[in-house]
Amino acid sequence: MIRHNGPISGVAAFDGRLVATAGYDNQLVLWDAGTRRALARAVHDHLANQVAFSPDGRHLVSSSSDYTARLWSVPDLKLLAVLSDQQDDVEMSAFHPSKDLIATASRDHRVRVYDFTGALLHTFTGHTADVISVEWAAGGDADELVSSSDDGTVKRWSLRTGGLVDDIDLGGIETDTIAVAPDGVVYAGNDEGEIVVLSEGGTATHHAHDAGIKRLVLDAAQGLLVSLSYDRTLRIWDVSGEPRPVASAAFPADVWPRSCAFLDGDTLAFATFGSSYAVYRIADGVWELDHVEPTHGVNAVTAHEGRTLTIGDAGILRTDGSPTAETGSLCNFLTPVGGRVFSGGQLGTVFDALTGEALHQHRSPLNCGAAFTRDGVPHVVVGAYTGEGLVFSVHPDGTVKHEATLPLHTGAVKGVAVSGDLIFAVCADAAASWFSVRDFTELHRVEAAHDRIANGCAPLPGGRFASVSRDRRLRLWDGPEAAVHPTPHDHSVKCVSTSPDGRYVATGSYSGAVCVFDTRTGTWPVALRPTTAGVSSLCHDPARGVFLAGSYDGRVYDVPVPAAGDADGSGEARP
C-alpha cells in the first residue's frame, strides 16, 4: 500500500484530476484526486520538500534536501533527469510556462535554470542567504525569474542577460514565499505575517497574519490568493484589485501550513502531518480528513524515571514503545520538570504529555523546551516560532503558572538550554542569546553566532553550551565566544545532546547519522548511521550511559559512547 510515513511538506494539483505530494519520508506520491487512491510513488535520497506539475501535466519536478531536483514522467513517475548542481537543499522548483525549462531555489543562495535533460543552463548569484522560493515572471515567453530569500530581498533575473534585473529590499525581513500574477504583480509573504505587493505602482504592505506566512498560492483565473501562516490560519484574498480578505479558516491539528494547491475553484488540497493530503471546501468551510491516517515518526525522545518517552507527528506519547497518552497535536519536544513532562508543537498549545492536559495557549507553534530550578521551584522555558521564550513554574500541587515571556529572538527559536544561572537560545536566523535565570534579563546576544540556520543547543556544565547548525559545525560556547569544531556530517545537523559531565556531545543529522564529540580529546570517536531516515532528536540516558536517537522512521536507537579512557578518535561506534 502506497502512503506517506512522515509529514507531507509539499502538494501540487493538476486539472482537478491529479494530486502530487512530497514528504519527509523521502517519498513523492501521485494520487487520483477523485478516488484519493495512490497511483505511483518515487523516492529521493533525503527529505522531499516540494513538488510541481508542468503546465501540460505530463511531468513533475520534485525538490529535495538531497541537494537535487528531479524530473519525473506522469503518471508512472519514471525518473527522466536529475538536476544535481546544488550545494545545499533544494527548497522549490518551477516549470517555465511554455518552454522545457526548470528553475530551482536552493539554500546554497543560488537560483539555477535547467533544461529537461538535466543540463545546467544558468546560475544566478546575488542572494546572501537561503533562497526559499522561485517563480517565472508573467507571460508565455517569459525569460525572467523572481526569487525570494531569507536575506529579506526579492530579486528578478534575466535569462537573456544572465544577470540581475531588479533587487527589491523588503527591510531585511525573511520572505519565504512569492506568487506572480499574469499582469506581473508579485505577492510576497514574510515572517512578520505581511503580504507585500510589488507592482509598477510601487510597494504596498498589508498585515495579513499574526505570525509568519509560509506559503502563498495564487489562482489567477479567479483572482484569488491563499495565504498560509504559522498562526494556524489560512486566509483567502480577492486580488482582482487591492487585496481584500474574503474568507478565513483555522487549521485542524493534522494540517501543516507549509503547502496547498487549488484542485478547482472551490477546493484546496493541503499538506498534512499524516499519510495523505487533506481537502478544504472553500464555499462551505469544510475540511475533509478521512483519508489522513497518523504516522509514527518520532520528533522527540527523553529518558524519564527509567523509561523512554517519545512523541511525534500524531501527538501520541509512547512509553517504552507503547501508547500511553494523546495530545491531539503534532509535538516537537519533551521536557520533564516538576512531575510533569512539557510538550507542544504546531497548535501552539503547551501540554503535559503524560496526561494530554492543555496548560497554556500561545499564538504560534512551539519548538523546544528546557528545565531549570529558580528559588527552589522547578521551571521550564519553552521556545516559540515567533521568538518568545515562555517561562512556567511548576508547584508541588502540580499547578503550572506562566511567569514570564522572554524576547529570546525575533525569529523561530530552534533550541533552548539552561546551565547554571543562564538560559541560552539559538534562532533560525543564526543568532544566539543569553538570559539570566535570576531576573530574566538579557545578558548577551550574538547576531551571527552561526554561519547558517541554527538547529539546536544543549547545556554543558558551568554555564557553557553546545550548539549545532546547518553549517555542519559544532560550537562550544563559554560566554559569547565559541570554539568551532567541524563535524563528520555531510548534511545539515538537526539536533544535539550532551552527557551530564559534559565530556560527550552527540549530534544527529537529517540524513540519519549520529556523531559523538569527546570534549577532552577534541576528537569524534563515534560516527555511525543507525537509520536512513533523519535523526530528529537526541537525549542522554544516564541510567544506561548511552545517547538515545529518535528518528522520523518511528524508532529509537541506542548510541553508545567509548568507555572511560577508551576514546581513540577512530570514528567507529563501540558496542
Side-chain angles (χ1 to χ4, degrees), residues 3 65 115 162-163 208 268 282 287 334 363 407 429 431 497 528 531 565:
R3 51 165 280 165
S65 294
D115 67 19
L268 294 167
I282 298 172
W287 289 95
L334 290 168
R363 67 190 178 104
D429 66 7
S497 181
L528 50 84
T531 174

Side-chain angles (χ1 to χ4, degrees), residues 46 489 491 508-514 528-535 551 557:
H46 207 323
H489 293 284
H491 282 78
S509 82
Y510 282 108
S511 65
V514 180
L528 50 84
R529 193 184 185 198
T531 174
T532 56
V535 174
S551 172
Y557 299 88

Side-chain angles (χ1 to χ4, degrees), residues 217-545:
V217 179
L218 178 68
D219 183 332
Q222 294 192 102
L224 294 179
L225 181 73
V226 180
S227 58
L228 316 182
S229 169
Y230 273 144
D231 67 6
R232 299 295 304 164
T233 66
L234 72 92
R235 294 205 165 97
I236 301 174
W237 307 80
D238 181 340
V239 291
S240 56
E242 195 76 9
R244 177 176 59 87
V246 294
S248 65
F251 290 117
D254 289 335
V255 172
W256 192 4
R258 176 162 168 155
S259 185
C260 80
F262 278 93
L263 274 173
D264 56 45
D266 185 54
T267 312
L268 294 167
F270 273 88
T272 73
F273 299 110
S275 62
S276 183
Y277 62 93
V279 169
Y280 178 69
R281 308 289 180 186
I282 298 172
D284 52 18
V286 172
W287 289 95
E288 295 180 5
L289 298 161
D290 50 308
H291 287 76
V292 181
E293 299 176 353
T295 59
H296 301 297
V298 172
N299 292 338
V301 59
T302 191
H304 179 61
E305 297 180 347
R307 296 181 175 183
T308 299
L309 307 184
T310 61
I311 203 162
D313 301 331
I316 298 172
L317 181 75
R318 297 179 185 272
T319 303
D320 292 335
S322 299
T324 52
E326 294 188 21
T327 65
S329 166
L330 176 145
C331 288
N332 289 321
F333 64 95
L334 290 168
T335 306
V337 56
R340 293 183 179 269
V341 176
F342 280 69
S343 191
Q346 285 297 311
L347 292 185
T349 307
V350 180
F351 295 101
D352 182 346
L354 295 175
T355 63
E357 177 187 359
L359 304 173
H360 181 83
Q361 184 61 49
H362 186 59
R363 67 190 178 104
S364 74
L366 308 171
N367 231 357
C368 49
F372 61 97
T373 300
R374 181 173 183 260
D375 298 329
V377 178
H379 283 66
V380 63
V381 55
V382 174
Y385 275 49
T386 38
E388 301 94 342
L390 311 175
V391 179
F392 303 92
S393 59
V394 184
H395 298 271
D397 63 356
T399 301
V400 174
K401 181 182 177 183
H402 180 213
E403 297 285 354
T405 297
L406 308 183
L408 298 179
H409 293 287
T410 56
V413 179
K414 299 300 292 288
V416 63
V418 179
S419 176
D421 291 330
L422 298 176
I423 298 170
F424 177 74
V426 295
C427 180
D429 66 7
S433 64
W434 290 253
F435 281 72
S436 167
V437 165
R438 297 184 182 277
D439 58 12
F440 299 141
T441 58
E442 182 177 325
L443 302 175
H444 306 289
R445 183 173 298 273
V446 178
E447 296 296 345
H450 306 86
D451 294 334
R452 305 295 301 279
I453 294 170
N455 278 328
C457 61
L460 291 165
R464 297 177 298 120
F465 300 93
S467 65
V468 292
S469 162
R470 285 189 56 84
D471 62 17
R472 306 198 301 274
R473 287 171 171 78
L474 169 67
R475 285 169 171 79
L476 302 181
W477 296 90
D478 191 352
E481 301 293 330
V484 182
H485 301 273
T487 72
H489 293 284
D490 58 7
H491 282 78
S492 176
V493 184
K494 169 66 169 70
C495 49
V496 61
S497 181
T498 53
S499 59
D501 63 1
R503 175 167 184 178
Y504 294 112
V505 182
T507 59
S509 82
Y510 282 108
S511 65
V514 180
C515 301
V516 180
F517 183 74
D518 186 333
T519 60
R520 296 183 188 175
T521 65
T523 60
W524 296 87
V526 177
L528 50 84
R529 193 184 185 198
T531 174
T532 56
V535 174
S536 61
S537 56
L538 288 161
C539 79
H540 189 265
D541 183 348
R544 299 170 53 218

